[in-house]
Every structure is written in structure tokens, then in C-alpha cells.
Amino acid sequence: MNYTTQMDAAKKGIVTKQMEIVSRKEQIDVEKLMDLIAKGKVVICANKNHKSLDPEGIGEGLRTKINVNVGISKDCPDIENEIEKVKKSLDLKVESIMDLSSFGKTEEFRKRLIQISPAMIGTVPIYDAIGFYDKELKDITADEFLDVVEKHARDGVDFMTIHAGLTKRTCETFKKNKRLTNIVSRGGSLLFAWMELNNKENPFYEYYDKVLDICEKYDVTISLGDACRPGSINDSTDASQIEELIILGELTKRAWERNVQVIIEGPGHMSLDEIKANVLIQKKLCHGAPFYVLGPIVTDIAPGYDHITSSIGGAIAAANGVDFLCCVTPAEHLRLPTLDDIKEGIIASKIAAHAGDIVKGIKGARNWDYKMSEARRNLDWEEMFKLAIDPEKAKRYREESKPKHEDSCSMCGKMCSMRNMNKILSGKDINILRDDE
């Protein structure tokens, strides 16, 4: 039996090879997985032209996945530098990489990325349009925007951020409800400017059916972008954000009617007490579609440390049902991230995702923690390094300050609680001051 997309196959009762792989990874019955995909609650982003892909599932009942952003820009056009970031991200086993390239040899970078990456690849086509056509924003036509979408799909991109919810109606809501930080989404601000300069409707909304044609043809998942995501905790959960979210819910149903898979993008900056409510609102208004968030960043005062502010929000978001976290690096709001920034952002996001998975009750999540605690009790340093989310750093810290006695660390020495409890419970003496073992 033929099928066009993973959702189409699921509705027809066809188990694809991608479903089989995800089923094994997630330890979930393939029939249950297929049902979730058919209902839009799980997606497998798997473009037919991405031949190196090792597929992952995103959504209800599955592990929280991590995305990392890379890409060349006008100020930093070095492709090889970005490829190194890609390789580091793959070494750290991220499930997704977004190419946010906006200048220069974007096509060359995108094709190399798709060729080498087993992780799913996402893009934001509007970023690429200005450089691709070498035209000012206002002079790009609706057809040209759509042509870039098709080019990315043909190249093998698995999911694309499409800001189709920023309609004329949404823009009027934004204008009537002033924000502290206006529209901070890069794609959203570009579209808002294009609409204002040309006095036209958002082309991705007006010609949404053509976008769906492209996505259905190549099995591209639409990541419905949140142009009105809050850029400060002052602007969160406001009229603009909710207005757009309502439209995204309507667009989700239209995509599902065409068997096109959907992810919903979300905030952004948001105080801790609003996160749970935002997850509930998104899941309700967008009919249970997987939720993808940047952070949320829970305070605006920590430039240089936003990998921490976002991991705090990410853990709470994941615990309350968010399915996909976009990692935020320490360089957020300041500059293009370095290789070290990328690593720090990924590690912080992986910690947040795992913390959320423990709360969600994801199969096997707590077992990792159990094994680490067992290794600590046994003072088995090699096992601790093997289980660590960042073995390299854990081993380096240990080596930088070696204790006199191997069954301790240089902070506690022979006062180590693990060491002394092990000795006492096994009937041995504790020799804290004596030199004998």
C-alpha cells in the first residue's frame, strides 16, 4: 500500500521503517506509536530525501528531544567553523539540528549538513530568501518565498519553521497591545516588515495550501512558528501570543487534513509560574500537537548565562508536557555561539530534558539516575564517568584535584560519607586521622 507521509501511513495502518526504529528506541509498542502519529500527537520528521537520517519521534509519551541551532551569517560566514559545531553536536547525540543560515553559501552548508547528519534537520526558509535572491526584503514576492520552501524540502530538510500564524489580524492585535520588546522572532519580524511595506497578507498564511502541497510531497513536518513569542517576561501570555496560538491551532487541523505532520513552537521568555499554564493552553488550542520551546528563559537579567535561565524553564516545561527543547547557549542575545558555547547549551538542555522525563515517567529515565547513585555509593569513579552526561568534564575535574586516598575526593577526603558508611555498614573501623587505610 502506498503512502505520502508518516501521518498518511499511520492513518492507513502501515508500519514504516521509521516507525519501527522509533518504536525500538522509545520502548513503545509500534501499534501505539502509529496511533499517536495518526492523531498528530507524535511526529517523525523524516524527509524522503534525507538519506543519512536516523529517525526520532517527538511527542506524547516519548523522551524529550533536543535541538541545537547552527548556521552562517554575514558577520560569521565560515562554513567549516559551523561544520565543527555540527560534529560536536552529533558527538553529544542531539536529536535535531536547525540550520539558521542567513547569508553567504547557505545552500552549500545546508547540503553538507543534510549529507552528514543522522539527526533531523530543520530550517527557517525566510532567513534564506534575502540572500538567495539578493533582493531587499520588500521586493521578494510570495512565489519566491514559496520557491525557497520547496528548495529546502527538495534538499532534504525534515522540518521547517513557517510563521503562518502572523496574519493581518494578528498584526492588528499586536499594534493595539503594546509590548516592551515588540516582535523578537527574527522570522516574525521579517514577515511583519514585509507585510507592512507591501500592505499584503502573510504569504505563508494566504498560500498555506501551497505550503502543504510541498510538505506533503517530500514529507516535511511543519513547525508552526511563534512570531509573537515573548522576548521578555513582561510580554508573556499576552494578547498577541494567544491570538497567534489560536490561528496555529486552526492551521494544525488544516495540515492534518492533508496528512502533513505539525509541531507547534512556543516561548520564549516567561516567568516560572506561567509555564504550566502555557503548556496547557498550547496543547488545548493546538489539539495535542507536539510542543517545541526555546527555553523558556525565566528571567531577563542573565546575559552570558542564558543556558542556565533556559534550562530552568526547560525542565519545568518538559515536566509539564513539552516535547522538544531548543537549546540556548551562553551567547544568546550577545553573539554567534562558539564551539564551547554550543556544548554548554546542549548539556544544559539535556539536563533539563532528562529532569522532565523523570517527572513524565518516561520508560528507563530513572534507571540512569539509579545506576549513577549506585556507582557513587560504590565509589566507582570509572562507572560514574561512563554514566555522566558530560564524561569529559567529570573526568577532568577529578584529575585536576586528586585526593590522597582514591576512595574519596579532595573536598571531603577521608570524611567522605560514602566511604565511611560503606566501612561502618560492613563492620569496619573508620580511620579519619590515622594514615592506615
Side-chain angles (χ1 to χ4, degrees):
M1 193 183 297
N2 293 326
Y3 62 90
T4 55
T5 68
Q6 294 293 319
M7 176 176 263
D8 183 39
K11 288 179 180 178
K12 291 175 177 175
I14 301 170
V15 176
T16 66
K17 64 179 181 180
Q18 291 86 358
M19 292 179 201
E20 290 175 343
I21 292 168
V22 171
S23 171
R24 288 197 297 272
K25 287 182 177 181
E26 300 286 346
Q27 302 177 67
I28 183 174
D29 181 75
V30 75
E31 295 292 329
K32 181 178 179 181
L33 177 65
M34 186 167 58
D35 181 61
L36 290 167
I37 294 169
K39 291 175 178 174
K41 294 183 177 182
V42 165
V43 301
I44 298 178
C45 304
N47 188 311
K48 295 171 183 177
N49 291 341
H50 188 177
K51 305 303 182 185
S52 61
L53 180 69
D54 183 8
E56 297 281 355
I58 302 169
E60 185 178 302
L62 309 185
R63 288 178 296 109
T64 307
K65 303 306 186 298
I66 297 296
N67 173 73
V68 64
N69 295 332
V70 298
I72 54 175
S73 67
K74 190 167 185 176
D75 291 310
C76 302
D78 189 340
I79 288 178
E80 297 308 320
N81 189 46
E82 295 307 295
I83 290 294
E84 285 304 306
K85 294 177 189 177
V86 170
K87 290 176 179 176
K88 171 59 74 174
S89 300
L90 295 174
D91 286 345
L92 291 169
K93 295 181 170 53
V94 300
E95 293 88 6
S96 171
I97 299 174
M98 281 200 86
D99 173 15
L100 304 188
S101 295
S102 58
F103 181 82
K105 297 180 180 179
T106 58
E107 182 177 3
E108 178 187 337
F109 177 66
R110 182 171 60 252
K111 287 184 174 180
R112 284 181 65 183
L113 174 59
I114 292 165
Q115 183 179 28
I116 67 172
S117 177
M120 66 187 101
I121 301 300
T123 59
V124 188
I126 193 172
Y127 293 177
D128 194 27
I130 297 171
F132 182 75
Y133 291 113
D134 194 22
K135 295 167 74 170
E136 286 297 335
L137 176 66
K138 69 181 177 62
D139 298 325
I140 300 174
T141 67
D143 284 340
E144 286 173 333
F145 280 128
L146 294 174
D147 287 345
V148 173
V149 172
E150 177 135 32
K151 178 163 187 50
H152 283 212
R154 190 166 56 245
D155 288 345
V157 170
D158 301 296
F159 68 101
M160 294 185 209
T161 295
I162 305 291
H163 298 91
L166 185 69
T167 64
K168 280 191 170 184
R169 190 175 87 195
T170 317
C171 291
E172 286 306 309
T173 299
F174 162 71
K175 291 174 187 177
K176 291 174 183 175
N177 297 270
K178 296 299 182 183
R179 287 178 141 194
L180 180 61
T181 49
N182 295 315
I183 293 176
V184 299
S185 158
R186 180 167 34 163
S189 65
L190 291 171
L191 266 176
F192 179 83
W194 186 92
M195 293 164 70
E196 291 289 300
L197 291 168
N198 291 287
N199 192 27
K200 289 184 178 180
E201 181 58 275
N202 178 349
F204 296 113
Y205 179 75
E206 186 173 1
Y207 302 106
Y208 188 61
D209 285 331
K210 291 185 178 181
V211 174
L212 295 178
D213 289 340
I214 296 167
C215 292
E216 183 181 23
K217 180 178 178 181
Y218 296 95
D219 198 0
V220 173
T221 300
I222 292 183
S223 187
L224 285 170
D226 53 336
C228 295
R229 73 169 182 263
S232 63
I233 62 171
N234 185 80
D235 296 340
S236 59
T237 326
D238 70 349
S240 299
Q241 181 190 336
I242 301 303
E243 171 74 34
E244 184 181 31
L245 191 58
I246 291 168
I247 295 170
L248 297 187
E250 296 166 358
L251 294 173
T252 297
K253 292 176 81 172
R254 285 176 60 185
W256 286 348
E257 288 168 3
R258 295 286 302 278
N259 297 316
V260 173
Q261 300 180 104
V262 174
I263 298 168
I264 305 296
E265 296 187 10
H269 295 236
M270 181 167 290
S271 64
L272 289 170
D273 58 325
E274 293 183 48
I275 295 173
K276 182 177 181 179
N278 268 259
V279 179
L280 177 63
I281 292 168
Q282 183 276 335
K283 292 284 186 178
K284 286 280 189 180
L285 292 179
C286 296
H287 322 291
F291 197 12
Y292 174 33
V293 297
L294 181 73
I297 292 172
V298 296
T299 176
D300 301 326
I301 63 164
Y305 296 91
D306 277 327
H307 60 310
I308 296 173
T309 61
S310 69
S311 67
I312 294 168
I316 294 170
N320 282 285
V322 159
D323 310 287
F324 196 18
L325 301 179
C326 186
C327 86
V328 175
T329 75
E332 188 77 9
H333 306 114
L334 301 171
R335 59 164 167 76
L336 194 75
T338 64
L339 194 63
D340 285 341
D341 293 332
I342 289 287
K343 179 180 177 180
E344 286 194 51
I346 290 171
I347 295 297
S349 291
K350 285 172 76 76
I351 293 168
H354 180 68
D357 287 349
I358 291 170
V359 178
K360 288 178 185 175
I362 297 299
K363 196 169 185 177
R366 281 181 175 268
N367 192 46
W368 186 3
D369 295 76
Y370 183 91
K371 288 179 178 178
M372 176 61 85
S373 297
E374 191 174 45
R376 283 179 173 151
R377 183 197 67 205
N378 295 334
L379 299 168
D380 186 342
W381 304 103
E382 289 306 315
E383 183 68 6
M384 285 185 239
F385 300 149
K386 189 172 85 172
L387 291 165
I389 204 163
D390 183 0
E392 184 182 287
K393 187 172 186 178
K395 190 174 290 188
R396 175 165 56 85
Y397 274 30
R398 172 79 176 165
E399 291 297 321
E400 285 175 351
S401 183
K402 290 296 289 277
K404 184 177 180 181
H405 298 278
E406 276 297 315
D407 62 348
S408 65
C409 77
S410 60
M411 180 174 181
C412 296
K414 291 174 77 173
M415 288 188 184
C416 171
S417 60
M418 294 292 186
R419 171 188 183 274
N420 292 331
M421 287 302 297
N422 288 342
K423 283 180 173 289
I424 287 292
L425 291 174
S426 62
K428 296 179 181 177
D429 185 17
I430 295 177
N431 52 342
I432 295 172
L433 298 179
R434 301 191 309 274
D435 287 335
D436 60 299
E437 290 298 325

